[in-house]
Amino acid sequence: MDFVLDYISVTTFWTVLFIVHALLAVALLGALTHQAVAVWGPVRLASTPGGSAPGFVTRFRSVFAPSYAGVVCLLWVLAFIFGAIIYTKYRIYVRIPIEQQGLFKTLGAFELKEHLVTIGLGLLPIYWYLWKNARNAVYDSSRKWLTIVLAAICWYGFLTGHVLNNVRGFGS
Amino acid sequence: MSAAAQTQSAPSDRRRIFALVFGVSFAVLYVVCDMAALPMFTYHPGSDRIDLGFTPARPDEGPAMYWFGWIATSALGAFVLALGAALLPQKAGAKIPLALAWIVPIALVPVLIYSLKFYWRW
């Protein structure tokens, strides 16, 4: 990877990695939110010919949720890998200055994010299995709640990461 | 649950048991590794050095990172437990409640918050 640094500065390199991590997180957040809303409040097919067009919320939750499972797993793993790479630089160049500023609650919230997304990573195999068997009604409840839990973790991670980047991001 | 769902028997195949036990035990082992300081290795990002097991930060070498080591320890432990569970007779494996997949992570949140009590200073 060192050859990249012949063309761009070290700061730019880590900023690019962080932006890729953030973009992957945005895509994951969108996919998981769609899926979670779809299982939380599934759209019931109504035969209302000539009726009013479905609203935004109805269309938002009327996605075909099983088709999101594979991409959610892929995005979670990719976002995790990029996050793990930049975590090494965060530890030195971001966390230490924040410690020196005494913003311990911010750091604690971010540490909690790291723990939760790691636990989420371990849950991906059973999440994937449950969605690959989406027609099995026995799995409905667990599939629904596990998806909601993962979506909640993703939202928490996204918001916490965003706040931390506002406090002190790469290149600041 | 609908009547159709109740009459449909859950396929208790080994992949489901493996994935379920892996996810649940990974979560529990990760929290244990965090609280009991049990990383498989320690990474020193300042010097780019890796030590086996728990190693405190060394002077003039920056902080030590245990997160990668916790993941490795809990992944290995979870893999062994999941493999063992998958090899159980299917009747026994089928008794593991599927709901643990989402109940356990929720139950671990207060534990994790407590483990980070150092940071919640006012």
Side-chain angles (χ1 to χ4, degrees):
Chain A
M1 292 289 280
D2 287 350
F3 73 95
V4 177
L5 300 178
D6 293 339
Y7 303 98
I8 57 174
S9 69
V10 174
T11 303
T12 305
F13 174 75
W14 289 104
T15 303
V16 168
L17 286 190
F18 173 76
I19 289 172
V20 173
H21 171 65
L23 289 175
L24 288 165
V26 169
L28 176 63
L29 189 70
L32 255 176
T33 305
H34 262 300
Q35 197 180 40
V37 172
V39 293
W40 180 278
V43 175
R44 285 172 177 75
L45 293 174
S47 55
T48 54
S52 60
F56 172 78
V57 175
T58 304
R59 277 180 284 167
F60 188 86
R61 63 194 175 99
S62 61
V63 297
F64 182 61
S67 66
Y68 285 74
V71 80
V72 163
C73 291
L74 179 67
L75 287 169
W76 195 294
V77 170
L78 288 176
F80 190 89
I81 290 171
F82 274 86
I85 293 169
I86 60 178
Y87 195 37
T88 58
K89 293 298 168 191
Y90 154 85
R91 186 63 185 83
I92 296 175
Y93 298 107
V94 178
R95 178 169 156 166
I96 291 175
I98 293 177
E99 283 175 349
Q100 289 167 344
Q101 290 176 58
L103 301 172
F104 289 102
K105 287 191 286 296
T106 307
L107 288 174
F110 189 75
E111 291 295 306
L112 183 61
K113 171 209 166 181
E114 297 305 313
H115 292 332
L116 291 176
V117 296
T118 305
I119 288 172
L121 182 77
L123 291 169
L124 291 181
I126 186 63
Y127 162 85
W128 187 83
Y129 181 88
L130 293 176
W131 277 108
K132 283 298 137 190
N133 294 278
R135 290 184 179 180
N136 192 332
V138 174
Y139 300 154
D140 278 358
S141 175
S142 296
R143 186 188 308 115
K144 170 184 168 181
W145 288 109
L146 180 57
T147 304
I148 290 168
V149 166
L150 287 177
I153 290 174
C154 189
W155 269 100
Y156 177 78
F158 184 82
L159 293 174
T160 309
H162 193 76
V163 168
L164 192 99
N165 190 54
N166 286 350
V167 172
R168 188 185 173 89
F170 282 105
S172 60
Chain B
M1 191 184 292
S2 68
Q6 286 176 334
T7 53
Q8 190 177 0
S9 62
S12 173
D13 61 73
R14 299 193 190 284
R15 277 179 300 169
R16 180 184 67 83
I17 296 166
F18 181 89
L20 173 63
V21 174
F22 181 86
V24 170
S25 51
F26 179 83
V28 173
L29 287 172
Y30 177 81
V31 175
V32 170
C33 288
D34 171 21
M35 296 186 75
L38 295 170
M40 187 181 289
F41 57 87
T42 303
Y43 176 59
H44 303 268
S47 54
D48 211 20
R49 197 162 47 80
I50 293 174
D51 289 327
L52 275 180
F54 179 90
T55 311
R58 297 186 177 190
D60 303 325
E61 283 195 19
M65 293 182 73
Y66 308 109
W67 184 65
F68 299 103
W70 295 332
I71 293 172
T73 308
S74 41
L76 179 67
F79 181 82
V80 171
L81 287 173
L83 202 62
L87 294 175
L88 286 172
Q90 289 210 344
K91 206 172 179 180
K95 288 180 180 172
I96 304 171
L98 202 51
L100 288 176
W102 61 272
I103 291 173
V104 168
I106 291 175
L108 288 174
V109 170
V111 183
L112 285 170
I113 291 171
Y114 174 77
S115 78
L116 296 166
K117 61 183 182 297
F118 167 79
Y119 296 99
W120 316 129
R121 54 179 85 174
W122 300 93

